[in-house]
Structure formats: C-alpha cells, structure tokens
Amino acid sequence: MDYEVVIGLEVHAELSTESKFLCACTTAFGGEPNTHVCPGCAGMPGTLPVLNKSAVDYAIRLGLALGCSIAERCEFDRKSYFYPDLPKAYQVTQFNSPVCKGGTLEIETQKGSKTVGITQIHMEEDAGKLVHDQGVFTLADFNRGSVPLLEIVSQPDMGSAEEAVAYLEKLREILLYLDVCDCKMQEGSLRADINMSIRKKGEKKLGVRTEMKNMNSFKAIERAIKFETQRQISTLEEGGVITRQTLRWDDDKGENTPLRSKENAQDYRYFPEPDIPALQISAEWISRIKSELPELAQQKRERYTEKYNITAANAQTLTSHKNISDLFEETLNLSGDPAETSNLIIGEILRLMNKTATSAEDLCVDSKKLAVLINFLKAGKINRSVYKEVVEAVFTENAEPEAYISGKSLFLIQDSGAVEKAVTQVLEENQKSIEDLRAGKDRAFGFLMGQVMKKLQGKGDPATVKELLNAKLK
C-alpha cells in the first residue's frame, strides 16, 4: 500500500539581542555555568519581568519578511510545566495572541518551487540547559534561561525529508540576512521540532502525529524523518497503531525512542501572564521596521547577476551564507572589480575554508587586505601564483599583504630598464630561436619569453616582457 508523509515544523530561533527577553542579563554564549543569571531569570519570588523591545523588533522584522500579518495587539501567557531547566516552573510565551500570523515561505524542491504556509510566529523565553554527567548526575545551567526565542510554526505542507530540510535551509538564510539570529545550530541557537504523520495516498484526513523535539542538525533531521516514516509505515502494515507521543532521536543509533505521551494545550494550563501588559504595535512601529529591512539573499542574487554580470550559479554560491556575501560586497566596494572579487571568494576563499574546515559562521577575513591584493594583481605588481600565496597568508595568519610580499621579494620587476637588459641578453644568446621565429615557428616566442622570465627570476611583469620582446624582435 502507498503512503505519504505529512510534515510540519516548529523552529526555535534564539534572537541575537544583547540582553535577555525579560531582564538585563547578557545573552552571550558560553561563560561559566550560572553566571549569566539574575533573580529575574532564576525565577526568584517577587521579581518582575521587563520586556526587551529589540526582541519585538526582531519578531516584526521576520514576520514582514515572511509576509505575515502583524498583530496590532498581542499578549503573553504562562505555559506551566515542571522541569529542572525551568526554575519558574512556567515559561512566558504567546498562546492566544501571537505577534505574527499567516505568511508563506517559497522553497525549491526536485519537483520545482513549493509554497509552505506559516501558521504563526510567537515570542517566548528559552529554558536553561541540562548537563548529564556520565549518567550519574544531571546538572542545570541557567545561563540560557530567558534568552529570547521566536517560534516559527509551519503548516503541515511538507511531504518528505528533503522538503523539510529545504524549508529549514531557506528559513535559516532569511534569519541570517535579517540579522535576527546567528543560526549556530551547534550552540543551540536554531532548533527544530518535527511533527509528522503518514496517511494513505489520496486521503485528506491527517494521521496520528508524533513529535521529535530539539533537533539541531539538518543531517540528523533528514535521517530522523526517514526513520520515523518507515517506522510508522511498518507499524500500520503489521496491524499496529500509531501512538501520539514525543520521541527522542538518537543520532548514534539512528533510531527513535519514546520520551512521553504528547501533551495537549490543556496539559500546560495556559493563562494570561499577569506581570506583562498587553503589547500595542502601532502602524508607525511596523512602518519603521519595514523601512529598515535589509536586502535578502534572493534579492542579492538578482542584483549580482543583473548589475555585476555574475552567473546565476556563482551568485548562488556568493549568497549561500551572509558572511560570504558580506565579504564579497565589502571587498568589491574597495576593489571595484566584480569579476576578480567573485573569483577570489569562490576560487580561493572557499577553497581555504574547505582546507581549514572553517565554517561560514566562523569566516573572518580582512576585506581591505583582499582588495589590496586584487589591486596589486590588476596593476601587474604580483603574478597569479604570488597572489594565491598571499591570499592564503591573509586567510590563515591575517598577514599584511605589502609587508609579506616585500619581505619575500615577491613584487614583479616593473623597471623597464632591467627588463630591457634581460631581453637584449636573451636575444643575443638565442639567435637560433630568432631564426625559428622568422621561419614561422611561433612556439619560439614562448621559449624566448621563458628565458627572459628566468633571467628575471620569475619576477618580470609578463606584459612588460612581452611588449619589449616584441619591440626588439621587430
């Protein structure tokens, strides 16, 4: 029997604000456990929350980018549950009136473009982190507690693991270009809950869904969906029943294990947060955020192809991550050469990133130094091999281009007197090659060029050598 999978995603994106959602503690990643904590985010009795306005700005920014409607009035709720990483025993979230509703996200699949609906985007605070100490102790670090989150809830519009990953990649791209989240999945700043079910092909009614929580790797998400799809199909074909439950994905074993039965909204005992007033979002506020929206990746791709005559494939590569695009644009603004700058980023920088296992999130190269090298190359002061060598030195050691080249005597000889002297000597020593050239043997010219470059120890400017050699031969 043929089945189809139905997938909806709940994505949690930690916001890149400097302070937490409801207090002034830092959101910086890391630090000694329980040092980024105050009485407020530690859940001490008698403390009162103060809403972070930047978190609201970021929520509106993402909502506008996804075509959502922004609520004129939204409220906060308490979601009660007891867990060691939640010291207040409730989470401040939005249940009844989220800040953003509706919206869509276009993804590219093997079958072409597909639209995934966005149900809502709501603001909430993150919980702390549990550290399991070799199975003996469980320790709680509350540094992450009350860091602002956006939860982006999709419609169940995805029909495969590949589509789910495409959706997540596109959403991550938008979050990065909006500067609302650094999307470092290894640090937990972007996580996804997978809600999925299966049904017979052609049926409209959704099957019983299961949920896999806090997935923080695209590869693991793809594997988990494929495993759970097959598990549910096998269960039904063997006469079993799918149970609505929350599952834990074990990436090492490549399988799911049950955590608990799936909660319903009433299990969380939602009720209005009494300590935070209703939020009024004016048309002027929304208009200001809209006017400040940055250029997104798709817009950049179109501009690169139209304005700079860069191929669609190269434009896709240059915008694959915001850090790569930023480096391209910063270098281009200084070099003024789109083609050479594009070739530098795609040819050399990406090669060096791969060689050194540097992720795009950690890319940090001085664009001013790269522009200096491009200008040296264009001016004929260095050759292509020296150019590549110094690019690597800048990438790995943050070397100063001019000092590096001078220190190794790598600048090309542009003194026409020195080049002319070398040309004269080579012609005097190679009369046979001159005769071959006059006899129509064009390869003789390449030989003479090589001899001149050899006398100049490879530091001659090829254009100058060629020009003087031609002049002397005539």
Side-chain angles (χ1 to χ4, degrees):
M1 186 178 292
D2 288 338
Y3 293 90
E4 63 182 7
V5 62
V6 180
I7 302 166
L9 295 174
E10 300 171 10
V11 178
H12 295 82
E14 281 189 356
L15 300 182
S16 301
T17 55
E18 293 183 6
S19 57
K20 291 187 178 181
F21 191 38
L22 302 170
C23 67
C25 291
T26 179
T27 58
F29 178 76
E32 289 297 313
N34 299 308
T35 56
H36 301 168
V37 181
C38 71
C41 57
M44 298 296 180
T47 58
L48 290 173
V50 179
L51 184 63
N52 186 334
K53 183 173 180 292
S54 292
V56 184
D57 285 349
Y58 285 9
I60 297 171
R61 192 184 301 180
L62 179 60
L64 291 172
L66 294 177
C68 301
S69 60
I70 311 299
E72 294 180 4
R73 172 191 169 94
C74 61
E75 300 175 349
F76 293 90
D77 303 282
R78 288 187 180 183
K79 177 183 180 181
S80 299
Y81 63 94
F82 299 97
Y83 209 62
D85 61 358
L86 198 68
K88 292 183 290 194
Y90 66 84
Q91 178 190 40
V92 175
T93 183
Q94 293 183 308
F95 178 67
N96 291 307
S97 57
V99 64
C100 306
K101 286 185 177 180
T104 57
L105 184 61
E106 292 289 328
I107 63 173
E108 294 300 323
T109 72
Q110 292 180 345
K111 298 178 181 178
S113 297
K114 182 172 185 175
T115 301
V116 177
I118 305 295
T119 303
Q120 67 181 49
I121 301 171
H122 59 264
M123 296 178 280
E124 62 185 23
E125 59 178 338
D126 208 347
K129 180 181 179 181
L130 297 181
V131 181
H132 304 290
D133 187 14
Q134 300 177 354
V136 180
F137 303 104
T138 294
L139 308 174
D141 179 5
F142 297 117
N143 281 350
R144 196 175 69 183
S146 199
V147 167
L149 287 177
L150 291 183
E151 181 170 340
I152 304 103
V153 183
S154 83
Q155 294 280 4
D157 290 339
M158 288 156 277
S160 68
E162 292 76 14
E163 287 184 7
V165 171
Y167 169 86
L168 289 167
E169 288 176 339
K170 187 65 176 290
L171 182 59
R172 179 179 64 174
E173 176 186 277
I174 291 172
L175 288 165
L176 283 169
Y177 277 87
L178 289 174
D179 273 331
V180 302
C181 175
D182 64 20
C183 296
K184 293 182 177 179
M185 300 187 79
Q186 70 277 14
E187 296 180 2
S189 59
L190 189 67
R191 314 188 293 273
D193 298 344
I194 306 166
N195 292 285
M196 59 173 287
S197 61
I198 60 167
R199 63 187 176 191
K200 295 175 183 177
K201 280 192 175 179
E203 284 190 354
K204 298 297 181 183
K205 184 180 178 181
L206 294 173
V208 176
R209 65 186 171 94
T210 58
E211 181 180 30
M212 292 174 279
K213 293 188 74 68
N214 291 326
M215 305 289 291
N216 62 357
S217 155
F218 290 168
K219 186 176 180 181
I221 287 168
E222 184 173 7
R223 292 181 67 204
I225 291 174
K226 289 180 177 179
F227 176 88
E228 181 62 10
T229 301
Q230 192 55 50
R231 186 191 73 82
Q232 291 191 24
I233 291 173
S234 298
T235 299
L236 292 180
E237 289 186 338
E238 292 168 6
V241 176
I242 305 298
T243 305
R244 190 176 182 212
Q245 59 186 341
T246 298
L247 304 168
R248 176 184 176 274
W249 172 251
D250 188 323
D251 205 40
D252 293 329
K253 294 181 179 179
E255 62 183 24
N256 282 323
T257 53
L259 275 177
R260 57 184 180 272
S261 61
K262 184 73 179 79
E263 298 94 338
N264 293 309
Q266 59 265 29
D267 295 323
Y268 291 122
R269 296 180 290 114
Y270 286 101
F271 69 92
E273 167 57 67
D275 294 332
I276 303 177
L279 185 63
Q280 304 288 341
I281 302 176
S282 66
E284 290 77 18
W285 190 350
I286 296 172
S287 179
R288 175 180 63 81
I289 298 297
K290 191 172 186 179
S291 69
E292 296 171 354
L293 285 178
E295 188 179 35
L296 297 180
Q298 183 57 42
Q299 295 168 315
K300 286 184 182 290
R301 287 191 277 270
E302 292 170 2
R303 178 166 60 87
Y304 291 176
T305 54
E306 293 172 8
K307 183 176 180 180
Y308 302 135
N309 200 29
I310 291 173
T311 66
N314 284 349
Q316 180 72 40
T317 301
L318 289 170
T319 56
S320 59
H321 192 282
K322 185 175 184 295
N323 285 352
I324 294 173
S325 176
D326 286 348
L327 182 61
F328 167 72
E329 294 200 11
E330 289 165 9
T331 306
L332 174 58
N333 287 338
L334 296 167
S335 72
D337 191 323
E340 197 63 62
T341 305
S342 172
N343 291 337
L344 168 64
I345 303 299
I346 294 173
E348 292 304 307
I349 298 300
L350 293 187
R351 177 184 68 82
L352 291 166
M353 287 172 63
N354 184 59
K355 178 181 176 181
T356 59
T358 301
S359 67
E361 288 89 348
D362 298 324
L363 178 63
C364 183
V365 187
D366 192 328
S367 59
K368 294 179 182 177
K369 293 177 179 179
L370 296 181
V372 166
L373 283 171
I374 290 174
N375 290 328
F376 279 168
L377 183 69
K378 288 165 60 180
K381 294 183 177 181
I382 57 175
N383 60 30
R384 185 70 63 175
S385 62
V386 170
Y387 172 72
K388 292 182 178 181
E389 178 184 336
V390 188
V391 167
E392 183 161 357
V394 170
F395 183 92
T396 57
E397 308 164 22
N398 197 27
E400 199 65 46
E402 189 163 4
Y404 183 95
I405 298 167
S406 297
K408 294 197 170 190
S409 301
L410 297 175
F411 276 118
L412 294 179
I413 298 172
Q414 292 184 301
D415 178 0
S416 58
V419 176
E420 185 173 7
K421 181 179 178 182
V423 168
T424 300
Q425 290 175 350
V426 166
L427 292 178
E428 289 175 352
E429 295 166 2
N430 294 277
Q431 291 297 317
K432 177 69 168 60
S433 295
I434 296 172
E435 292 171 6
D436 289 344
L437 191 60
R438 286 171 178 164
K441 297 179 181 179
D442 294 338
R443 284 187 296 178
F445 187 82
F447 172 77
L448 292 171
M449 276 281 294
Q451 293 301 302
V452 176
M453 294 298 286
K454 187 175 180 181
K455 279 196 178 292
L456 294 170
Q457 298 179 319
K459 298 176 186 177
D461 175 16
T464 304
V465 171
K466 184 175 181 180
E467 181 182 351
L468 288 174
L469 189 56
N470 269 320
K472 287 284 185 183
L473 286 168
K474 287 179 181 178

